[in-house]
Amino acid sequence: MIPNLPDTINDIKGFLAEDEAEALYHHALDASHSGAVLEIGSYCGKSTIYLGLACQQNKATVFALDHHRGSEEHQIGEYFHDPDLYDDGEGKVDTFKEFRRNIRNARLEETVVPVVAGSEAAARQWQTPLAMVFIDGGHSLEAALTDYRCWTAHLLRGGILAIHDLFEDAHEGGQAPFAVYRMAKASGLFEDLGQINSLGLLRRL
């Protein structure tokens, strides 16, 4: 049971299974005693709400990083393209309006700080230590590697690294997040906490 979870949570656009959502919430609840949480790839805010509700209890902050132009698979002609999230005037995907609405409805505007930028640009002069990093951004190898390399250096000892959409079988999903997960496990910097569905969890040593 997650306190204050909106009744509309299952109506929010997103790709997060219930067991993954609960794992994110509980790890963020523990981690946010030590500091801020960073989410990379917020989309419409479904996972952000779970992280935000956890951080709200500890008066911590969730930095929700997303350029809100959609990943490769969200563009026109791609499998996960959603016409409702396409701005005809701009000629681009725009998920930010939907994201803001969902965060406002969840009463998390004082907990969630949107960072509307690309991962590399946001990380360039970042100074805030992070107690948890959730990587759920672009699924190209370049994007996944950038997220990992830019942000794990800011993760506190004992902090949680969570990586979403891990599929060992290429027929089930993209391989880039899984490659980054294997890289993290092989680095010697993390304790492997295992997987919940397609969510991999590690702890910074």
Side-chain angles (χ1 to χ4, degrees), residues 109-167:
E109 289 179 300
E110 296 301 313
T111 299
V112 174
V113 176
V115 181
V116 184
S119 191
E120 192 169 10
R124 196 171 296 134
Q125 292 184 291
W126 189 268
Q127 298 295 322
T128 303
L130 299 168
M132 180 173 176
V133 172
F134 174 42
I135 298 179
D136 193 21
H139 289 167
S140 70
L141 185 57
E142 180 182 5
L145 283 172
T146 296
D147 292 340
Y148 175 75
R149 288 169 174 164
C150 282
W151 295 105
T152 52
H154 299 286
L155 191 59
L156 293 165
R157 287 188 177 181
I160 296 295
L161 174 62
I163 305 175
H164 194 219
D165 291 330
L166 303 182
F167 299 104

Side-chain angles (χ1 to χ4, degrees), residues 37-96:
V37 171
L38 174 76
E39 172 184 59
I40 306 166
S42 301
Y43 195 51
C44 294
K46 190 169 189 174
S47 55
T48 321
I49 289 172
Y50 285 96
L51 295 171
L53 290 172
C55 289
Q56 189 178 56
Q57 294 190 48
N58 295 322
K59 297 182 179 179
T61 297
V62 178
F63 293 102
L65 171 62
D66 198 312
H67 48 56
H68 287 285
R69 292 304 188 187
S71 300
E72 301 85 353
E73 63 270 22
H74 299 140
Q75 307 307 314
I76 286 182
E78 298 300 324
Y79 187 75
F80 289 108
H81 177 69
D82 186 340
D84 292 340
L85 299 174
Y86 188 77
D87 186 325
D88 290 317
E90 291 285 332
K92 295 180 179 179
V93 173
D94 187 355
T95 58
F96 191 44

